[in-house]
Amino acid sequence: MDPVVLTIVLMLAAYFICGIPFGLIICSCMTHADIRSMGSGNIGSTNVGRSVGAKAAALTLAADTIKAIACSVAARVIVMFAFGLPDAAATMPSGAYGWIGAAVCVAGVCGHIFSPYLGFKGGKGIAAGFGAMIGFAPLVAVGLLAVFLAIILPTRLISAGSVAAAASLPFWTLFLYQAKPEVFGLISFVAFIVIWAHRNNLKKLLTGQEKRFSFHHEVKGE
């Protein structure tokens, strides 16, 4: 099969799978309310946690992460079979077919941020991006988690941790996997689009208006 054709097929599949708005679905099932009318209006786990609670946030985070892992892993397996590769090395960031996995990561994150089911609106790409990296370059995912936790644990500023992790993404890929230039470029685009999705949060961070994270707590009679 032509690599470009296969890549386009895999990207389309990742886009539509990662576009599934699990935050909206989970909150609708648990509260019969539209998460887009609550808090910041975002469908991601941070707003779900603030607006609905820890259980809904955990389910949303897990679902958004798993859908991206599934797309990345499936893409690598399909590439291996399609081109008769003896092992997964060629599908890593430094491998001959690493660019296909990176392109699938781009499509998955774009699907989450620009969901085709919500008028091309969606989350901010953190869970989907993290999941995509778990499937594509696991050591990078560890680096991203380390940066994220280093920021949010002392500050409780989810957006600051998210932006810092996204900004570090291309460098982890290069440092840990010696990513090829085309892979580095695609992964850099993932970082850019995630940071762009946080543009309003960045403005609030710069002006000191960004809220520190806390879970929604039900009150008596609620």
Side-chain angles (χ1 to χ4, degrees):
M1 180 182 286
D2 183 272
V4 174
V5 173
L6 178 59
T7 302
I8 291 171
V9 171
L10 292 174
M11 289 180 72
L12 285 172
Y15 176 76
F16 284 101
I17 291 171
C18 289
I20 299 172
F22 282 111
L24 176 64
I25 295 168
I26 289 166
C27 290
S28 294
C29 291
M30 293 182 69
T31 67
H32 304 292
D34 190 331
I35 187 62
R36 292 172 295 179
S37 66
M38 305 165 71
S40 68
N42 192 267
I43 64 168
S45 57
T46 299
N47 187 47
V48 170
R50 281 186 173 132
S51 304
V52 180
K55 183 178 179 181
L59 289 172
T60 300
L61 179 62
D64 285 342
T65 303
I66 290 170
K67 70 184 180 185
I69 294 175
C71 289
S72 280
V73 171
R76 293 181 66 191
V77 171
I78 290 169
V79 168
M80 286 175 62
F81 278 101
F83 302 114
L85 303 177
D87 54 51
T91 66
M92 300 296 286
S94 59
Y97 294 96
W99 63 274
I100 297 179
V104 169
C105 291
V106 170
V109 171
C110 285
H112 184 75
I113 295 174
F114 307 106
S115 173
Y117 312 110
L118 300 176
F120 303 105
K121 296 179 181 179
K124 294 182 180 177
I126 290 299
F130 181 63
M133 285 301 110
I134 290 176
F136 178 53
L139 292 178
V140 171
V142 175
L144 295 177
L145 183 60
V147 172
F148 181 73
L149 292 177
I151 300 296
I152 70 158
L153 289 180
T155 67
R156 288 189 294 116
L157 291 169
I158 300 291
S159 58
S162 299
V163 170
S168 73
L169 172 56
F171 304 101
W172 285 121
T173 309
L174 191 61
F175 176 70
L176 295 172
Y177 288 96
Q178 295 75 53
K180 290 194 170 184
E182 60 271 25
V183 173
F184 182 80
L186 288 165
I187 295 302
S188 295
F189 181 73
V190 171
F192 168 78
I193 201 69
V194 170
I195 294 172
W196 177 86
H198 285 81
R199 59 196 183 281
N200 290 331
N201 301 93
L202 283 171
K203 291 177 184 177
K204 291 180 180 179
L205 284 168
L206 291 172
T207 58
Q209 297 176 7
E210 183 74 331
K211 294 180 180 178
R212 299 181 189 276
F213 181 78
S214 62
F215 284 113
H216 170 78
H217 296 286
E218 292 188 0
V219 296
K220 231 176 193 181
E222 188 176 343

